[in-house]
Amino acid sequence: MLRVSVTDLDQLRWYRNSEDMELGTLLRRLRREEPPSEAMAAGKAFHSILEHAGECELSSVEQDGFVFQFDMDGEIDLSPIRELKAERVYTVGGMDVELVGVVDGITGTMVEDHKLTARFNVETYTDSLQWRCYLDMFDAASFRYNIFEARQDRDGIYVVYGYHFMTFYRYPGLRDDVERAVADFAQFAAEYLPERLAA
């Protein structure tokens, strides 16, 4: 059985739609051969803050060597159930593919994911396979992105100054779209990542 993460599917989608990413870069990422960038490490640290946050007022928080300063007004409604893993098997082209992923939170029939970004770009989230996959894997009705904008100041502190949310909903044909993405990755893996099929 081929085991694939939701992030793997989006990496392949980005590669297919980008003129900047080379095949070698994609393969290194899919093989987990590239160390995380500073932005990725900062995003992971930021996720950890939100994962463990209770009812409190955040001003300045240090996590995993990063300092985040919250310079924004507003309340963030975090889900009570956090970091929940899902696995779902899709049979495509006669092959079983197990799709795995972890959502940042779930409340009733809504799942959510937190993002830390330098610039809010609507298309980045609208075109993503992530929300489609999680809606299907969790049999959820809606998916919400909590998107935090941050800039790095001269001292290396990440100043969180903006918050946006985007909500997406189930639609007819959602499962078909996810299955097509899974089948596309399976075909790609058969050609470029044969070790994943042998594992």
Side-chain angles (χ1 to χ4, degrees), residues 56-78:
C56 63
E57 185 173 311
L58 295 174
S59 54
S60 183
V61 184
E62 184 173 351
Q63 179 71 41
D64 300 333
F66 295 93
V67 177
F68 299 91
Q69 180 179 319
F70 290 81
D71 187 19
M72 51 177 270
D73 291 325
E75 286 189 13
I76 304 162
D77 185 21
L78 297 173

Short mmCIF file of all heavy atoms in Angstrom, two decimals, residues 56-78:
data_model
loop_
_atom_site.label_atom_id
_atom_site.label_comp_id
_atom_site.label_asym_id
_atom_site.label_seq_id
_atom_site.Cartn_x
_atom_site.Cartn_y
_atom_site.Cartn_z
N CYS A 56 -6.56 33.02 27.23
CA CYS A 56 -5.54 33.96 27.71
C CYS A 56 -5.38 35.09 26.71
O CYS A 56 -5.91 35.04 25.60
CB CYS A 56 -4.20 33.25 27.91
SG CYS A 56 -3.50 32.59 26.38
N GLU A 57 -4.61 36.08 27.12
CA GLU A 57 -4.27 37.17 26.23
C GLU A 57 -2.81 37.01 25.83
O GLU A 57 -1.93 36.94 26.68
CB GLU A 57 -4.48 38.51 26.93
CG GLU A 57 -4.27 39.70 26.01
CD GLU A 57 -4.65 41.01 26.68
OE1 GLU A 57 -5.76 41.08 27.26
OE2 GLU A 57 -3.83 41.94 26.64
N LEU A 58 -2.57 36.89 24.54
CA LEU A 58 -1.22 36.69 24.06
C LEU A 58 -0.59 38.03 23.72
O LEU A 58 -1.19 38.84 23.00
CB LEU A 58 -1.22 35.79 22.82
CG LEU A 58 -1.68 34.34 23.02
CD1 LEU A 58 -1.76 33.62 21.69
CD2 LEU A 58 -0.73 33.61 23.95
N SER A 59 0.61 38.25 24.23
CA SER A 59 1.32 39.49 23.88
C SER A 59 2.66 39.14 23.26
O SER A 59 2.91 39.42 22.09
CB SER A 59 1.51 40.37 25.11
OG SER A 59 2.14 39.64 26.16
N SER A 60 3.55 38.49 24.02
CA SER A 60 4.84 38.06 23.50
C SER A 60 5.10 36.64 24.00
O SER A 60 5.01 36.39 25.20
CB SER A 60 5.94 39.00 23.96
OG SER A 60 7.19 38.62 23.40
N VAL A 61 5.41 35.75 23.07
CA VAL A 61 5.59 34.34 23.43
C VAL A 61 6.85 33.81 22.75
O VAL A 61 7.08 34.07 21.57
CB VAL A 61 4.39 33.48 22.99
CG1 VAL A 61 4.56 32.04 23.44
CG2 VAL A 61 3.08 34.05 23.51
N GLU A 62 7.66 33.07 23.51
CA GLU A 62 8.84 32.42 22.94
C GLU A 62 8.57 30.93 22.81
O GLU A 62 8.06 30.30 23.72
CB GLU A 62 10.07 32.65 23.81
CG GLU A 62 11.34 32.08 23.19
CD GLU A 62 12.59 32.45 23.97
OE1 GLU A 62 12.51 33.28 24.88
OE2 GLU A 62 13.66 31.90 23.64
N GLN A 63 8.91 30.38 21.65
CA GLN A 63 8.68 28.96 21.41
C GLN A 63 9.74 28.44 20.44
O GLN A 63 9.91 28.97 19.35
CB GLN A 63 7.27 28.75 20.82
CG GLN A 63 6.92 27.31 20.50
CD GLN A 63 6.70 26.47 21.76
OE1 GLN A 63 6.09 26.95 22.71
NE2 GLN A 63 7.20 25.26 21.77
N ASP A 64 10.44 27.40 20.86
CA ASP A 64 11.43 26.72 20.00
C ASP A 64 12.45 27.69 19.39
O ASP A 64 12.84 27.55 18.22
CB ASP A 64 10.72 25.94 18.88
CG ASP A 64 9.78 24.88 19.43
OD1 ASP A 64 10.02 24.39 20.56
OD2 ASP A 64 8.79 24.55 18.74
N GLY A 65 12.87 28.68 20.17
CA GLY A 65 13.89 29.61 19.70
C GLY A 65 13.34 30.79 18.91
O GLY A 65 14.12 31.65 18.46
N PHE A 66 12.03 30.86 18.73
CA PHE A 66 11.41 31.98 18.01
C PHE A 66 10.60 32.81 19.01
O PHE A 66 10.00 32.28 19.93
CB PHE A 66 10.47 31.47 16.91
CG PHE A 66 11.17 30.73 15.80
CD1 PHE A 66 11.29 29.35 15.83
CD2 PHE A 66 11.71 31.43 14.72
CE1 PHE A 66 11.94 28.67 14.82
CE2 PHE A 66 12.37 30.75 13.70
CZ PHE A 66 12.48 29.37 13.75
N VAL A 67 10.58 34.11 18.77
CA VAL A 67 9.78 35.01 19.59
C VAL A 67 8.68 35.60 18.72
O VAL A 67 8.95 36.12 17.63
CB VAL A 67 10.63 36.14 20.21
CG1 VAL A 67 9.74 37.09 21.00
CG2 VAL A 67 11.72 35.56 21.10
N PHE A 68 7.43 35.49 19.20
CA PHE A 68 6.28 36.03 18.49
C PHE A 68 5.65 37.13 19.34
O PHE A 68 5.34 36.93 20.51
CB PHE A 68 5.25 34.93 18.21
CG PHE A 68 5.77 33.81 17.37
CD1 PHE A 68 6.35 32.69 17.95
CD2 PHE A 68 5.71 33.88 15.98
CE1 PHE A 68 6.85 31.65 17.17
CE2 PHE A 68 6.21 32.85 15.20
CZ PHE A 68 6.78 31.74 15.80
N GLN A 69 5.49 38.28 18.73
CA GLN A 69 4.86 39.41 19.40
C GLN A 69 3.52 39.68 18.72
O GLN A 69 3.47 39.91 17.50
CB GLN A 69 5.74 40.65 19.32
CG GLN A 69 5.15 41.87 20.02
CD GLN A 69 6.08 43.05 19.92
OE1 GLN A 69 7.29 42.91 20.06
NE2 GLN A 69 5.51 44.22 19.66
N PHE A 70 2.45 39.62 19.48
CA PHE A 70 1.12 39.81 18.92
C PHE A 70 0.76 41.30 18.97
O PHE A 70 0.61 41.88 20.04
CB PHE A 70 0.09 38.97 19.68
CG PHE A 70 0.25 37.50 19.43
CD1 PHE A 70 1.21 36.76 20.12
CD2 PHE A 70 -0.53 36.85 18.48
CE1 PHE A 70 1.38 35.40 19.88
CE2 PHE A 70 -0.36 35.50 18.23
CZ PHE A 70 0.59 34.77 18.93
N ASP A 71 0.65 41.89 17.79
CA ASP A 71 0.36 43.31 17.66
C ASP A 71 -0.94 43.47 16.90
O ASP A 71 -0.99 44.04 15.80
CB ASP A 71 1.52 44.01 16.94
CG ASP A 71 1.36 45.52 16.92
OD1 ASP A 71 0.58 46.04 17.75
OD2 ASP A 71 1.99 46.17 16.08
N MET A 72 -2.00 42.90 17.45
CA MET A 72 -3.30 42.91 16.78
C MET A 72 -4.40 42.81 17.82
O MET A 72 -4.20 42.30 18.92
CB MET A 72 -3.41 41.74 15.80
CG MET A 72 -3.08 40.39 16.41
SD MET A 72 -3.29 39.00 15.31
CE MET A 72 -4.99 38.58 15.64
N ASP A 73 -5.56 43.34 17.47
CA ASP A 73 -6.74 43.23 18.33
C ASP A 73 -7.65 42.16 17.74
O ASP A 73 -7.75 42.01 16.53
CB ASP A 73 -7.50 44.56 18.39
CG ASP A 73 -6.71 45.62 19.16
OD1 ASP A 73 -6.04 45.24 20.12
OD2 ASP A 73 -6.78 46.81 18.78
N GLY A 74 -8.31 41.45 18.62
CA GLY A 74 -9.26 40.45 18.13
C GLY A 74 -9.20 39.20 18.98
O GLY A 74 -8.22 38.94 19.67
N GLU A 75 -10.28 38.44 18.90
CA GLU A 75 -10.35 37.17 19.61
C GLU A 75 -10.24 36.03 18.61
O GLU A 75 -10.78 36.10 17.51
CB GLU A 75 -11.67 37.05 20.38
CG GLU A 75 -11.73 37.91 21.61
CD GLU A 75 -12.95 37.61 22.47
OE1 GLU A 75 -13.61 36.58 22.22
OE2 GLU A 75 -13.24 38.41 23.36
N ILE A 76 -9.55 35.00 19.02
CA ILE A 76 -9.39 33.81 18.19
C ILE A 76 -10.08 32.66 18.90
O ILE A 76 -9.74 32.33 20.03
CB ILE A 76 -7.91 33.49 17.96
CG1 ILE A 76 -7.20 34.69 17.35
CG2 ILE A 76 -7.75 32.27 17.07
CD1 ILE A 76 -5.70 34.65 17.50
N ASP A 77 -11.07 32.10 18.25
CA ASP A 77 -11.84 30.99 18.83
C ASP A 77 -11.18 29.68 18.42
O ASP A 77 -11.37 29.19 17.31
CB ASP A 77 -13.28 31.06 18.32
CG ASP A 77 -14.16 30.01 18.97
OD1 ASP A 77 -13.80 29.52 20.05
OD2 ASP A 77 -15.21 29.67 18.38
N LEU A 78 -10.36 29.11 19.33
CA LEU A 78 -9.65 27.88 19.03
C LEU A 78 -10.49 26.66 19.39
O LEU A 78 -11.19 26.66 20.41
CB LEU A 78 -8.32 27.83 19.80
CG LEU A 78 -7.31 28.92 19.46
CD1 LEU A 78 -6.12 28.86 20.40
CD2 LEU A 78 -6.85 28.78 18.01
#
